[in-house]
Amino acid sequence: MEERIVKKIILGISIILSGFMLAACGSVDNLSKDTSNSSGSKTKTQLTGQTNTDYYQGVIKNGRYQTSKSRGVSVSQESNQFNIKGFENGLLDISKKEFSTKKYIFQEGQYLSTSTVEKWLDRKSKSNPTGLNPVKSKSTNPNTRNPIYLSQIDEQDFMTQSGKSLKLSAMTVGLGINSVDYYKKTAYGPTYETNISNAQVKKQGKAIANQVIKRLRQRAALKNIPIIIALYKQASDDSLVGGNFFAYSMNDDGETKIAKWDTINQKNYVFPLQSDKKGPSQNDADSFDNFKSEIQGFFPNLSGVTAQAQYTDGSLSGMNISITTQFYSQTEIISFTQYIQNAAQRYLPANAPIDITVSSTEGIQSFLSRKQNEKKFSAHIFNSY
Amino acid sequence: MEERIVKKIILGISIILSGFMLAACGSVDNLSKDTSNSSGSKTKTQLTGQTNTDYYQGVIKNGRYQTSKSRGVSVSQESNQFNIKGFENGLLDISKKEFSTKKYIFQEGQYLSTSTVEKWLDRKSKSNPTGLNPVKSKSTNPNTRNPIYLSQIDEQDFMTQSGKSLKLSAMTVGLGINSVDYYKKTAYGPTYETNISNAQVKKQGKAIANQVIKRLRQRAALKNIPIIIALYKQASDDSLVGGNFFAYSMNDDGETKIAKWDTINQKNYVFPLQSDKKGPSQNDADSFDNFKSEIQGFFPNLSGVTAQAQYTDGSLSGMNISITTQFYSQTEIISFTQYIQNAAQRYLPANAPIDITVSSTEGIQSFLSRKQNEKKFSAHIFNSY
C-alpha cells in the first residue's frame, strides 16, 4: 500500500523522472524508494541496470552515479596509465571469480576516503603513523634506501538487496606494489630508480595486505563480510602494458589475518615482441607477426600495428590490437576493415577474446571484436552524416 | 587442370602468401590467377572478402588495395571534413540501391585520374578548357560574380566476375555542389562568401551532370554500362554535419543525356537543435534532449552530448551520438555505459540505426550501437591490459 502511494507521488512529480526510474533500473524497481540518510535529506537509490552478466550493476544515488570516496587518487599518483586501467580491470576479474555478477551489485569504494588512501600510500612517519610504506631512510643509494612499495589502492564494494535497501556484503581491495620505485634525491634533481625484486614485491605486498585486512576489520561495517585482498605488481613507467596481479586472498567473515594466498599466474606482453624478449608462445607471436605483415601490405600509408596480449596460466587470455593509419576515404576504411576481418580470422590465435581498433589522426575509424568462445569477428565501421 | 598447376606453383612460392590468398578471399578463390597487365608484368587480382552484405567487397591487386586514381583530391579541396565522409557514405548508399552488394564488387574509381579531376574542378579557361566551373568573372562582388559550383567529384566502379577476371559493369559518379563559395579578392586578403540558392544548386548541378555523362560516354569502357550521376549539396564550412544528396539519375547503357532525375529527400541536423532552428520532428528533438539531460545528470564531470541526425523522406534514418567526458576509472566507464544502454533504449527514437561513442581525452572509452530493425543496443567497453 505505502509503496504504491509513494510511487504514485513520484510518478506525479515528473513523467520523465519516473520514466527513467522504471526504465533504467531493471530489477531495481523495488529499490526506488525514499530513505533518510545521515544528513536527514531523502536519498533515492537506483541501479545502472545490467544488460550483460559480464558486468555488475552499479549504484546510483539521487540520479547521480555514486563515485568512489577516493576518486582520482590513482590517476594523480600513477604516471603509467596502463597500470591504472589494467589494475582496475584485473581487480574486477578477481571479484567476479568470488562474487557473482548475478547476485552482487557493484558500488565504487565508499569506506576508504581520499585522505585515508593518501595517508596509507605515504611513508610511515611521526606525522603520518598510518603510512603503509617504510620510513624514509638516510641512504639515497638505490640499493640500500627503503623504496616506496605500495603505489595504489583500489576498493570495490559488493552490495546485496536487503528488503528495500542495499547492504554491503563483500569487499575487494587491490594493492599495487612497485617493481621499480622512481625517486629524486633533491627536489628538482634527476630521477633515480630502485629496482624491487619479485621476491620483495611478494614479501612486502603480503605484509602490507595483512596490515590492511586488520585495519578494515576494525570498522563495524567490515567486520563480518568476506574481503578479498589482491596483489598487483606494477609495470615500470616505460612499459606499454600494465603490470599483473600475482596473488589474492579470500578472507571469510571476521578473519583478521590472511591465512592463505591463491597464486595468479598472469602476464602481459607487447606484440611485436622486442628482439631481446621472449613470450610464452612463439606460435602466438608468429601469428601476430603474420597478421601484421599481411595488414601492412594492404595500404600504402599504413603506419602502426601493435598489440597488448595477456597470458593466464601460460595461455593467451586476451589481446587488444591497435592499428593506426592515414586514410583518405570512407570506402578505403570499409574495404580495409573487411580485409582485416578475414585476415584476423585466419591468422590470429583462436579462443582468446580479441579487440582490434583502426584509428587515424581523426580518431577511431572502425573496430573489430571477437569475444571469448566466439568463432567469428564482428566489425563496426564508424560513420558520419 | 591448368588452374590446379598455377595454384600449386603459388603455394610452392610462399606458404604465407598462399595462406593469405585462400583466407582473405572468400568467394574469390577462382580470381587468384595471373593475368598480364599493360606493362607486361603479372597482376594478381583478389578481393577483400565480404563479411556482411551491408558492404561491397573491394578489389586487391598484387596484395595491395587498389586505391582510387584521384585519391586525396577531395581531402585537399574540402575544408569541412563532414562534407567528405558524408558524401562518400551517401554515394555508396545510392549505389547500393541500384547495384546489389551481392552481385557487384566495389572498385575505387580507376577512370578519372587526379589530373582529370583537378581540371574538371577548376574554372573553365583558355589553359583549362575542360573546367566544369564557370569562367572567372571580372566582378568580385559576392552577388554578381560567377561562383565555383562544383566542389568535389567521387567515382565508384562496380565490377562483376567475367570468367577469371573482373569486368567493369557499372559506375556511380557523385558531384558535390557548393551552397556557399568561399573566395578571396586578393591572395592573402580576407575570405568572402557567395551564397548559392537551392534553385541554383539544382540547376547548375544538373547542367554539370549532363556534361559529365557526355564525357564519360566518350570512353570505350564506359560506353555501354549503367552510370549513376548523383548530386550533393555541400554544407557550409562551419556546419557540424555534412551536406546532402538531393537527386540522382540512373542512366542505362549508352545514354549520353540525362533523361530523368530521381529526387532524394535527405537532410542532416545537429542535436541539440540551435534555438533558432527547427528540425523535422519535435518529438525526436525532445527525445534527444531528455536523453541528454538524463545522461548529464549521471556524472559530475560530463561535458558534451551532441548528435548528428539524418532524415530521409521526413523520418529519422540514422543518428550518431557523441559523448565526451573525463573519467577516472574503468568501473565508472562500465557503469556509465550500462546506464547509457538503458537510457538510450528508453529515450531515443525507435527504428533508426543509432551509434553512441563515449570518449575522453585519451580516446574512445566505450561504444554502443543499435542497427536498423534491431530492438536493443549492444555495447562494447574498451579494455587495456
Side-chain angles (χ1 to χ4, degrees):
Chain A
M1 269 281 278
E2 205 191 298
E3 199 190 338
R4 285 180 93 184
I5 293 166
V6 171
K7 276 201 171 167
K8 273 199 175 169
I9 292 167
I10 295 171
L11 279 159
I13 294 166
S14 157
I15 289 165
I16 290 166
L17 247 181
S18 77
F20 151 67
M21 277 162 42
L22 297 169
C25 301
S27 63
V28 202
D29 218 23
N30 47 353
L31 268 180
S32 303
K33 64 145 213 163
D34 293 341
T35 53
S36 286
N37 68 12
S38 56
S39 63
S41 65
K42 301 280 182 180
T43 303
K44 187 150 51 221
T45 303
Q46 303 167 318
L47 302 186
T48 54
Q50 185 179 39
T51 41
N52 184 330
T53 53
D54 285 354
Y55 299 112
Y56 294 101
Q57 296 204 73
V59 177
I60 298 168
K61 287 220 164 143
N62 291 324
R64 289 221 150 188
Y65 184 62
Q66 193 176 29
T67 56
S68 157
K69 279 271 188 290
S70 60
R71 194 176 198 240
V73 175
S74 291
V75 175
S76 65
Q77 293 275 335
E78 299 300 324
S79 43
N80 188 339
Q81 290 293 312
F82 295 121
N83 276 331
I84 303 176
K85 270 220 171 184
F87 180 61
E88 289 164 349
N89 270 319
L91 197 62
L92 261 188
D93 287 342
I94 293 169
S95 296
K96 284 179 203 163
K97 278 192 207 172
E98 304 285 344
F99 311 133
S100 157
T101 57
K102 288 178 193 158
K103 181 181 169 193
Y104 291 91
I105 292 150
F106 173 83
Q107 179 180 270
E108 302 275 348
Q110 297 299 310
Y111 294 87
L112 301 179
S113 66
T114 294
S115 82
T116 301
V117 167
E118 282 172 348
K119 280 178 198 155
W120 289 15
L121 290 176
D122 207 350
R123 286 185 185 277
K124 192 172 184 146
S125 66
K126 267 186 197 162
S127 62
N128 185 41
T130 61
L132 287 171
N133 277 305
V135 293
K136 196 168 183 177
S137 47
K138 275 182 189 154
S139 166
T140 57
N141 179 298
N143 302 314
T144 56
R145 69 186 274 274
N146 290 336
I148 297 278
Y149 294 110
L150 180 63
S151 181
Q152 60 178 335
I153 299 176
D154 192 16
E155 173 203 343
Q156 299 179 341
D157 300 344
F158 297 93
M159 320 297 284
T160 50
Q161 241 170 283
S162 163
K164 291 186 176 176
S165 58
L166 290 175
K167 195 186 85 183
L168 181 73
S169 304
M171 183 182 273
T172 301
V173 173
L175 305 173
I177 311 295
N178 280 330
S179 60
V180 183
D181 176 32
Y182 299 88
Y183 69 105
K184 288 176 187 294
K185 295 183 184 180
T186 54
Y188 300 99
T191 298
Y192 296 85
E193 300 178 8
T194 295
N195 288 304
I196 301 169
S197 69
N198 273 337
Q200 276 294 311
V201 168
K202 273 185 202 170
K203 189 185 153 194
Q204 298 292 340
K206 289 180 180 180
I208 293 168
N210 260 306
Q211 288 190 265
V212 168
I213 186 83
K214 205 172 134 195
R215 291 181 186 183
L216 295 176
R217 291 300 189 197
Q218 285 164 4
R219 305 197 186 195
L222 313 183
K223 245 190 178 65
N224 284 305
I225 57 166
I227 298 180
I228 292 174
I229 310 275
L231 297 175
Y232 181 83
K233 179 188 161 189
Q234 307 255 129
S236 60
D237 278 1
D238 58 356
S239 173
L240 296 173
V241 279
N244 58 283
F245 280 97
F246 58 90
Y248 81 98
S249 161
M250 171 70 175
N251 303 283
D252 293 335
D253 308 15
E255 279 181 23
T256 56
K257 253 189 180 171
I258 294 174
K260 180 178 158 281
W261 286 100
D262 284 310
T263 303
I264 299 172
N265 179 13
Q266 200 162 61
K267 225 179 155 211
N268 302 324
Y269 294 85
V270 176
F271 285 156
L273 287 169
Q274 284 174 282
S275 52
D276 60 331
K277 284 200 178 165
K278 226 178 120 60
S281 157
Q282 192 54 45
N283 216 26
D284 291 349
D286 291 344
S287 298
F288 176 81
D289 288 347
N290 292 340
F291 172 76
K292 180 179 152 88
S293 37
E294 193 55 58
I295 289 301
Q296 285 187 323
F298 188 73
F299 262 119
N301 293 330
L302 198 67
S303 43
V305 182
T306 59
Q308 293 185 323
Q310 181 167 76
Y311 284 81
T312 306
D313 298 326
S315 6
L316 187 67
S317 51
M319 200 189 250
N320 295 331
I321 298 177
S322 148
I323 301 175
T324 52
T325 184
Q326 175 59 59
F327 282 111
Y328 285 101
S329 73
Q330 185 72 359
T331 47
E332 289 184 355
I333 293 162
I334 292 169
S335 290
F336 187 46
T337 304
Q338 293 196 91
Y339 184 79
I340 293 175
Q341 198 164 0
N342 282 305
Q345 205 83 32
R346 170 144 187 94
Y347 287 108
L348 296 176
N351 305 322
I354 297 179
D355 276 8
I356 305 173
T357 53
V358 178
S359 312
S360 75
T361 48
E362 279 158 41
I364 191 163
Q365 299 295 325
S366 71
F367 150 68
L368 302 97
S369 175
R370 189 189 67 197
K371 289 189 189 137
Q372 185 109 45
N373 303 322
E374 281 182 356
K375 292 245 157 108
K376 296 206 160 183
F377 281 82
S378 65
H380 187 87
I381 294 159
F382 291 91
N383 193 355
S384 173
Y385 296 119
Chain B
M1 267 281 278
E2 201 190 302
E3 200 189 339
R4 286 180 93 185
I5 292 166
V6 171
K7 276 200 171 169
K8 273 197 176 172
I9 293 167
I10 296 169
L11 280 161
I13 293 165
S14 155
I15 289 165
I16 291 167
L17 248 180
S18 77
F20 151 66
M21 279 164 39
L22 298 169
C25 300
S27 63
V28 201
D29 218 25
N30 47 354
L31 267 180
S32 303
K33 63 146 213 165
D34 292 341
T35 52
S36 287
N37 67 12
S38 55
S39 65
S41 65
K42 301 282 181 180
T43 303
K44 185 152 50 224
T45 304
Q46 303 167 317
L47 302 188
T48 54
Q50 186 180 39
T51 41
N52 185 328
T53 52
D54 285 353
Y55 300 112
Y56 294 101
Q57 296 203 73
V59 177
I60 298 169
K61 289 222 163 140
N62 290 325
R64 290 221 150 189
Y65 185 63
Q66 193 175 30
T67 56
S68 157
K69 280 271 189 288
S70 60
R71 193 178 199 240
V73 175
S74 291
V75 175
S76 65
Q77 294 274 335
E78 299 300 324
S79 43
N80 188 340
Q81 291 294 311
F82 296 121
N83 276 333
I84 303 176
K85 269 217 170 187
F87 181 60
E88 289 165 349
N89 269 319
L91 197 62
L92 261 188
D93 286 342
I94 293 169
S95 296
K96 284 178 204 165
K97 277 193 208 171
E98 303 286 345
F99 311 133
S100 158
T101 57
K102 287 176 193 159
K103 181 180 168 194
Y104 291 91
I105 291 151
F106 173 84
Q107 179 180 268
E108 302 276 347
Q110 297 298 314
Y111 293 88
L112 300 179
S113 66
T114 295
S115 82
T116 302
V117 168
E118 281 172 349
K119 280 178 197 154
W120 289 13
L121 291 176
D122 208 347
R123 285 185 184 281
K124 191 170 184 147
S125 67
K126 268 187 194 161
S127 62
N128 186 39
T130 61
L132 287 172
N133 277 305
V135 293
K136 197 168 182 174
S137 48
K138 275 180 190 154
S139 165
T140 57
N141 180 299
N143 302 316
T144 56
R145 69 186 273 273
N146 290 337
I148 297 278
Y149 295 110
L150 180 62
S151 181
Q152 62 178 333
I153 299 176
D154 191 17
E155 173 203 343
Q156 298 178 342
D157 300 345
F158 296 93
M159 320 297 284
T160 50
Q161 241 171 283
S162 163
K164 290 184 178 177
S165 58
L166 290 175
K167 194 185 88 185
L168 181 74
S169 303
M171 184 182 272
T172 301
V173 172
L175 306 172
I177 312 295
N178 280 330
S179 61
V180 183
D181 175 33
Y182 299 87
Y183 70 104
K184 287 175 187 298
K185 295 183 183 179
T186 53
Y188 301 98
T191 298
Y192 296 85
E193 301 179 6
T194 295
N195 288 305
I196 302 169
S197 69
N198 274 337
Q200 275 294 311
V201 168
K202 274 185 202 171
K203 189 185 152 195
Q204 298 291 339
K206 288 179 180 179
I208 293 168
N210 260 308
Q211 289 190 265
V212 168
I213 186 84
K214 206 172 133 196
R215 290 180 187 184
L216 295 177
R217 291 300 189 196
Q218 285 163 4
R219 304 197 186 193
L222 312 184
K223 246 191 176 67
N224 282 306
I225 57 166
I227 298 180
I228 292 173
I229 310 273
L231 298 175
Y232 180 83
K233 178 187 163 191
Q234 308 255 129
S236 61
D237 278 1
D238 58 356
S239 173
L240 295 174
V241 279
N244 57 282
F245 280 96
F246 58 90
Y248 81 97
S249 161
M250 170 72 176
N251 302 284
D252 292 336
D253 307 15
E255 279 180 25
T256 55
K257 254 188 181 172
I258 293 173
K260 179 178 159 281
W261 287 100
D262 284 309
T263 303
I264 299 172
N265 179 13
Q266 199 161 61
K267 225 180 155 209
N268 302 325
Y269 294 86
V270 176
F271 285 154
L273 287 170
Q274 284 174 283
S275 53
D276 59 330
K277 285 202 175 163
K278 227 178 117 61
S281 158
Q282 192 55 44
N283 217 25
D284 291 348
D286 290 346
S287 298
F288 176 81
D289 289 347
N290 291 340
F291 172 76
K292 180 180 152 88
S293 37
E294 192 55 57
I295 290 299
Q296 286 187 323
F298 188 73
F299 262 118
N301 294 330
L302 200 68
S303 42
V305 182
T306 59
Q308 292 185 325
Q310 182 166 77
Y311 283 81
T312 306
D313 298 326
S315 1
L316 187 68
S317 50
M319 199 189 250
N320 295 330
I321 299 177
S322 147
I323 301 175
T324 52
T325 185
Q326 175 60 59
F327 281 110
Y328 286 101
S329 73
Q330 185 72 0
T331 47
E332 289 184 357
I333 293 161
I334 293 169
S335 289
F336 187 46
T337 304
Q338 294 195 90
Y339 184 79
I340 292 174
Q341 198 164 0
N342 283 303
Q345 204 84 31
R346 169 140 190 98
Y347 288 110
L348 296 176
N351 305 322
I354 297 180
D355 277 6
I356 306 173
T357 52
V358 178
S359 312
S360 76
T361 48
E362 279 158 41
I364 190 162
Q365 298 295 325
S366 71
F367 149 69
L368 302 97
S369 174
R370 187 189 67 196
K371 290 188 189 140
Q372 184 109 46
N373 302 321
E374 281 181 356
K375 292 244 156 104
K376 297 207 160 182
F377 281 83
S378 65
H380 186 86
I381 295 159
F382 291 91
N383 192 356
S384 172
Y385 295 119

